[in-house]
Amino acid sequence: MSWPLHQTTFRLPRLEDTFSVFPDNGLNPNFSKIRPESRAWINQYTDSVCGPKMRAFMDNCNFELSNSYCFPYAGEAGLRATMDLTNILWLYDEFTDTVSGTEASDAALIVARALQDPDFDDGTWICRMMKSFKHNHIDRAGPNVARRFVDNFCTYVEIVGTEATLRERNEVLDIPSYIAFRRETSAVRTCFDLVEYCVGLDLPQHVHEDPIFLSGYNAAMDLVFWANDLFSYNMEQSKGHGGANVVTVIMKSKGVDLQTAIDFLSGYCEALTAQLQEARRILASRHDPVYCKDAVRVIDAFGDWVRGNDQWSFATERYFGKENHIVKKSRIVTLRAPFSDSLALTE
């Protein structure tokens, strides 16, 4: 979608008011110790694919801080796993944004083989990065968590290849198709796998297939990516990637302007928040401790994720640059002209 010259600003909803139903558990106290360790680890790979400007951008975005907001309860090992994953997702997302659909699909095959085949090693930075992450973290998780993570990550990279193809075709999905699509491209499933790892649980598969747990899981996942799409819309439309964003999807599907689409998104987030709370209530009323204790603990951690993700979005320069605190207060965002603020991976 082209830049709407007739509209130069838009107003953000106060999602923090909607998400205030989830407890504010503060920042993880292990952040300052673990962040340098994770940054040193990911720099082994960013240094080979990113230029100095992109590395500086990464520093300013402080992606690892998001984990301190979203995993306030994690111990040192768990927090390190979440930080390493966040850095992988950032780097992989930026990389696939710059390549063709075919190249993104080729990268997905490397990831899948690196995670599934112990003997595979093609010498690429992607292979080395994924094998290191699996050895350091996933191999230490419970068998159910480990299996789900590998499956979910492989699905994520496969769908990201499809996203690149859709971008090449300038194709915009309808709302139901986009929701199903975004649940995979957002990689939130892999982050939620680490929720169980961090709280020391390994939920059996039948819990993940339970309709009530699944209702809460999907609501939390959707809340994360709807908020991320909202906050990243300005940046993505300036780079020509606005088609893969729920704001553009709503505008096209409903035939509405930008602000109306954003207001619709806000109302939808209220409904999803209620859905997550209702799932928790029903699970807590059951007598089986796997549900009323363990599953509820995971649902509560999803609430930490939803609230923490919103808090970090205004603490970082990722979405709003150095005006992040001003935007948090005013809620007014000025639309960027196309590509004027884009930054190539190699810069």
Side-chain angles (χ1 to χ4, degrees), residues 48-66:
S48 62
V49 295
C50 296
K53 289 185 179 179
M54 180 55 71
R55 290 197 295 270
F57 173 73
M58 184 178 180
D59 286 336
N60 291 336
C61 288
N62 201 352
F63 293 106
E64 300 94 343
L65 182 61
S66 67

Side-chain angles (χ1 to χ4, degrees), residues 13-32:
R14 294 189 179 276
L15 293 182
E16 67 265 32
D17 292 343
T18 301
F19 300 155
S20 64
V21 297
F22 305 118
D24 184 357
N25 291 315
L27 296 175
N28 191 302
N30 298 309
F31 169 74
S32 60

Side-chain angles (χ1 to χ4, degrees), residues 187-251:
V188 176
R189 292 188 192 278
T190 62
C191 299
F192 282 5
D193 290 329
L194 293 190
V195 164
E196 289 185 51
Y197 175 60
C198 287
V199 298
L201 292 172
D202 189 39
L203 293 179
Q205 188 60 27
H206 69 79
V207 174
H208 277 260
E209 295 171 356
D210 180 89
I212 301 303
F213 181 84
L214 189 59
S215 174
Y217 183 105
N218 285 341
M221 181 165 50
D222 292 354
L223 282 168
V224 172
F225 87 70
W226 281 62
N228 283 354
D229 274 18
L230 171 63
F231 298 141
S232 65
Y233 172 77
N234 195 23
M235 176 178 59
E236 290 180 354
Q237 64 83 27
S238 74
K239 294 166 63 177
H241 298 169
N245 187 290
V246 74
V247 176
T248 301
V249 168
I250 295 170
M251 283 193 285

